[in-house]
Amino acid sequence: MIHQSASEGHGHASNDSILIVDDAPPNIGLLYAALQQAGYQIYAATSGAQALLIAHEVRPNLILLDVVMPGMDGFETCRRLKNEAATEQIPIIFITAANSTEDIAKGFAAGAVDYLSKPLRVDELLIRVKMHLQKQHFLLVQQEQTEKLKLIVDNMSEAVVLLDAKGQITFSNPACHAGLGYTGDEVLGKSITSLLSERQPASCLKFFSTDSDLNISSPTHCGPSEVCVQHSSGKALNMDLTLASVFLQERHYVGLLRDRQPELQHHASLLAADCDPLTNLANLRRFEVTLEQCWQYCLSTVMPVSLLQIRIHQREDCYHHAERHAGDQILQEIARILLVQANRRNGLAARIAEHEFALLVPDLSKEATAFLTHTLRDELMLLLKQKIPASSTEREKAGGISIAYASQVPHAGQNGKQLLDVLSNALPTRQCDEVSRIIATEM
């Protein structure tokens, strides 16, 4: 083996190495001189067997290989190099005096990327070497980027699929297999639409068409869209589907499927934390947060805040156990009435205790707040009249309604919770002689 590092001051600096394989030392000398002058690191072997050993040891960037050699010829040497994972990516240029079409075809079939005819022309040699080294560098960079991308995609928690122009799956990552219950082979070639329920978004359909004209003008991005994906077990999965077009010789699409179940569970937990389970109104926690936000907004805009608190006086001993469900229904009806009034005025209705409700309305005058309070009292009393037995004595026994209300422009140093406490303290803790009572308050 002959090894020579690139000399300084000659040609261009290069870290590229080249293995010369030729059984004739004069030929090696000629190639060595030209390539060493150009700045390449040179290795040399005088037989195919020696070339295999050197190639495995030093992994040259390119191999110049003579065809006609005793023992293992260039064709066989090339085939063995291409059959080894360690050397299969190294570009090989044949150097041959045999210029027949059959020999050239045989060389390309063995795995060569090019050939040079003897006698060699140095200028052509250097151009071909430089061209193939540049190409090899580009391919190696591409391969490295592809491996990095595959590593990222394979370790993503979201399901990723690559689709052709008709929406058929050409690649899927492990998260897709784990999430949908299919192997890579099982989803390969499937249409993405075959995995979706019939209620798929119409926007997704625009992506895939057998009509080439439609395909060219189809959108380049879609989603995320809520879709229902069929698991291999038959279970329906709620997922978000995002599609984006890419061009790999022809149009392809990258599809990202994200499981919506954790998001839905999180949303449900937040909703449960902020929502009264019986009436689906806001609970006290959410009401107090919104009240403070509204208070600060009205403070900055000098607008009034209107607040109503409704207390239902209900004597539990008047209800048999079988009637408690009816009592819950009455609370739900009260909630619906309050919700209607809140929605009309961009406000918020809440159930803040077992038999207490509150209504928050921004930018409502005192007069309008008083009118709203009396309207609500009439609606709620009508509800009780309809839901509780007809005898007035029984209705009075069953309970009544007290409503405290206030409307005022917030002042610095005050907060909404203080106003809510004022209303709460103004309400009677037990039913008085009146079936209903309205109490105007201020802070």
Side-chain angles (χ1 to χ4, degrees):
M1 178 183 77
I2 302 172
H3 169 232
Q4 173 67 48
S5 298
S7 62
E8 297 182 1
H10 295 278
H12 62 276
S14 173
N15 291 321
D16 291 325
S17 59
I18 299 174
L19 171 61
I20 302 170
V21 186
D22 199 310
D23 63 315
N27 292 339
I28 292 178
L30 175 65
L31 293 170
Y32 176 88
L35 294 170
Q36 188 263 354
Q37 180 73 18
Y40 297 108
Q41 293 181 339
I42 309 303
Y43 299 88
T46 56
S47 68
Q50 191 180 35
L52 295 177
L53 294 174
I54 296 173
H56 276 83
E57 181 182 348
V58 303
R59 309 286 175 85
N61 299 104
L62 185 141
I63 297 174
L64 296 174
L65 179 59
D66 187 23
V67 171
V68 181
M69 295 186 296
M72 188 188 304
D73 65 9
F75 297 129
E76 179 61 23
T77 303
C78 183
R79 279 191 288 267
R80 293 196 184 187
L81 287 168
K82 292 300 175 180
N83 285 332
E84 294 289 338
T87 56
E88 64 177 348
Q89 299 297 327
I90 302 174
I92 297 173
I93 299 177
F94 273 128
I95 299 174
T96 177
N99 295 325
S100 69
T101 302
E102 182 181 353
D103 287 332
I104 293 171
K106 188 176 180 182
F108 283 124
V113 297
D114 205 349
Y115 74 95
L116 288 168
S117 299
K118 294 180 179 179
L120 293 174
R121 294 181 291 273
V122 172
D123 290 344
E124 181 183 4
L125 166 71
L126 296 178
I127 290 172
R128 296 281 186 98
V129 166
K130 182 179 180 180
M131 179 187 70
H132 286 292
L133 284 173
Q134 288 176 338
K135 183 178 179 180
Q136 181 67 3
H137 285 316
F138 175 76
L139 292 175
L140 290 174
V141 169
Q142 258 196 338
Q143 182 179 354
E144 183 180 1
Q145 291 176 339
T146 300
E147 289 174 353
K148 288 180 179 178
L149 180 60
K150 187 176 186 304
L151 184 65
I152 293 170
V153 171
D154 284 350
N155 286 279
M156 288 179 65
S157 58
E158 293 89 355
V160 178
V161 291
L162 183 65
L163 314 170
D164 64 17
K166 296 181 181 180
Q168 293 180 326
I169 298 172
T170 60
F171 167 82
S172 54
N173 71 337
C176 177
H177 312 151
L180 304 187
Y182 298 98
T183 65
D185 291 338
E186 287 173 335
V187 295
L188 190 65
K190 274 183 175 287
S191 170
I192 185 67
T193 54
S194 70
L195 298 177
L196 306 181
S197 71
E198 295 179 357
R199 296 180 289 109
Q200 59 189 309
S203 57
C204 294
L205 293 174
K206 296 178 183 178
F207 268 70
F208 313 117
S209 172
T210 56
D211 189 323
S212 59
D213 292 334
L214 291 177
N215 188 40
I216 291 172
S217 61
S218 60
T220 58
H221 186 272
C222 174
S225 302
E226 295 182 15
V227 295
C228 186
V229 181
Q230 297 297 321
H231 189 272
S232 62
S233 64
K235 179 183 177 182
L237 303 175
N238 291 313
M239 308 191 86
D240 277 336
L241 172 62
T242 302
L243 294 168
S245 64
V246 293
F247 285 90
L248 306 172
Q249 296 182 339
E250 61 180 16
R251 175 170 279 191
H252 282 68
Y253 300 91
V254 176
L256 182 66
L257 284 164
R258 185 176 62 86
D259 187 4
R260 297 189 68 242
Q261 197 58 34
E263 178 185 335
L264 294 174
Q265 291 174 346
H266 178 64
H267 178 72
S269 64
L270 288 179
L271 190 62
D274 289 343
C275 182
D276 173 60
L278 177 63
T279 63
N280 288 326
L281 295 182
N283 60 14
L284 178 61
R285 173 182 174 276
R286 180 180 167 195
F287 186 80
E288 288 182 339
V289 170
T290 306
L291 172 60
E292 190 56 36
Q293 292 172 343
C294 180
W295 187 272
Q296 295 301 323
Y297 175 76
C298 291
L299 176 65
S300 64
T301 56
V302 196
M303 290 195 312
V305 173
S306 295
L307 191 60
L308 287 74
Q309 186 169 344
I310 302 100
R311 182 170 290 166
I312 311 299
H313 302 287
Q314 191 176 43
R315 287 181 53 190
E316 297 289 343
D317 58 330
C318 293
Y319 288 91
H320 300 295
H321 178 75
E323 293 174 327
R324 292 192 182 277
H325 178 65
D328 287 346
Q329 288 182 327
I330 291 174
L331 294 177
Q332 291 169 340
E333 291 289 343
I334 291 172
R336 277 191 280 272
I337 292 172
L338 293 175
L339 187 60
V340 169
Q341 295 294 344
N343 290 340
R344 285 176 182 172
R345 297 169 174 83
N346 195 29
L348 177 68
R351 185 187 182 202
I352 60 175
E354 185 176 7
H355 296 138
E356 291 186 23
F357 296 85
L359 182 62
L360 170 65
V361 181
D363 197 19
L364 197 65
S365 67
K366 287 185 178 181
E367 295 76 11
T369 304
F371 180 79
L372 172 61
T373 304
H374 285 81
T375 301
L376 268 177
R377 189 270 311 272
D378 294 342
E379 287 189 58
L380 295 177
M381 289 308 300
L382 179 61
L383 171 67
L384 292 180
K385 184 178 180 180
Q386 292 172 341
K387 295 294 183 180
I388 297 177
S391 166
S392 61
T393 303
E394 288 178 333
R395 276 197 296 273
E396 291 173 5
K397 276 177 54 183
I401 296 172
S402 296
I403 305 177
Y405 74 92
S407 178
Q408 68 178 73
V409 176
H411 298 289
Q414 299 176 331
N415 59 56
K417 179 65 166 57
Q418 292 172 334
L419 183 58
L420 185 62
D421 290 340
V422 169
L423 267 63
S424 181
N425 293 332
L427 288 171
T429 56
R430 63 180 63 184
Q431 184 180 351
C432 51
D433 294 337
E434 300 99 332
V435 176
S436 66
R437 173 181 284 193
I438 292 176
I439 306 163
T441 64
E442 61 182 17
M443 183 167 62

